[in-house]
Amino acid sequence: MDIKDFARPFDGAGVSAFLRSLPAAPRLLGLGEARHFVGELGEARNELFRHLVEHEGYRSFALESDCLMGQVVDRYLATGEGDLDEVMERGFSHGFGASPANRELVRWMRAYNAEHGTRLRFFGFDGPLEYWAASPREALTGLYALLDGPLLAAIVSAETLDELLGADERWSNEAAAMDPARSIGRSPEAERLRVIADDLVALLETRTPQLDPAEREQAELYARTAVGLLRYHYWMADASPQRWGRLSALRDAMMAANLRALAAHGPALIYSSNLHLQRDQSVMALGEQSLEWWSAGALVSAALGEQYAFLASALGTLDGDAPAPGTVEALLSGLPWDAALVDARRLAETAGQADRRVTGDFAYFPVDPAQLGRIDGLLFLRRADDLKRLG
């Protein structure tokens, strides 16, 4: 079987044909990154999103970035108020605000909103964390401010909530990532805040009808984030061998919760690492440990079924490093197009026994031939510096 029989150029017609080949129209279409900060891949993503908006009815985009910071970008898209430089600085985590492709995406989405009656929306779907985590202050106090009534005061007063939270620096201490003893996640204050957060979420669930849709969306985001952060901090203070595996699982669980909420705004394009969006377990070596946890994509796929689709990415020559013969990337390099869309399930029949690519770039996550059957499609760029744009 020739790979060209189930591959097509990466252009508008190819994208639409890929979507029609899926068993159902996805509410969430995940585009995975083989590596962060590859400009050509970001450009391809932007072209894909433009086509999805203009021809497939997509109205939302989500990035592996802080879910609370992402609100800065979404407000800018809605109003145009503020400075784009400041939006890029305050609206992204993980250094993603410095990406030219992300800047161009925000600029284009704002221009689209200014010219059309419909509104494009931007979402971050990662938690406010890296390996360390932020204070739960913004999420807890934001949720508290959206609730009212005598039961609220019975749960906790605003003054007591502020005292329990204390200085934000106690929570965001980066040293706690490597030293559990530096974390306050199991302090008496943190333990009490976990109970308070649970009570506030329960109160929200009983008061949902009194909130308008925008308030409800905001409150539910704060609720998910507060509970998720307090769980994460609790396990940051754990000294057992399970610590890092549990933290990795909790991060992807927070991502999945945000993505399930985002499905209500679908169809949406979501953009993150291949590892986060795949349907299989993520595996990562950490010293002598091998960490395994269910990825956000696996969790979302279990909830949405065929309404979740995963388009992984793979790169051929990257920074002068060509793929070794026998790898999936080497096989795909034989295609006649610089950028191609490939039916990954049919590729599994041809390349399922291929070698997994090994590179000196620890940030590059190659295609795992054993997982091809669990991927809907593959976006392949032959060279990272030679991308053909969508027509």
Side-chain angles (χ1 to χ4, degrees), residues 378-391:
L378 196 63
L379 169 59
F380 177 71
L381 306 183
R382 187 207 309 275
R383 296 185 61 88
D385 57 358
D386 190 18
L387 173 71
K388 298 294 185 182
R389 293 182 174 274
L390 285 174

Side-chain angles (χ1 to χ4, degrees), residues 29-41:
L29 172 61
L31 173 59
E33 288 182 284
R35 192 192 192 285
H36 286 322
F37 301 110
V38 174
E40 291 79 9
L41 187 54

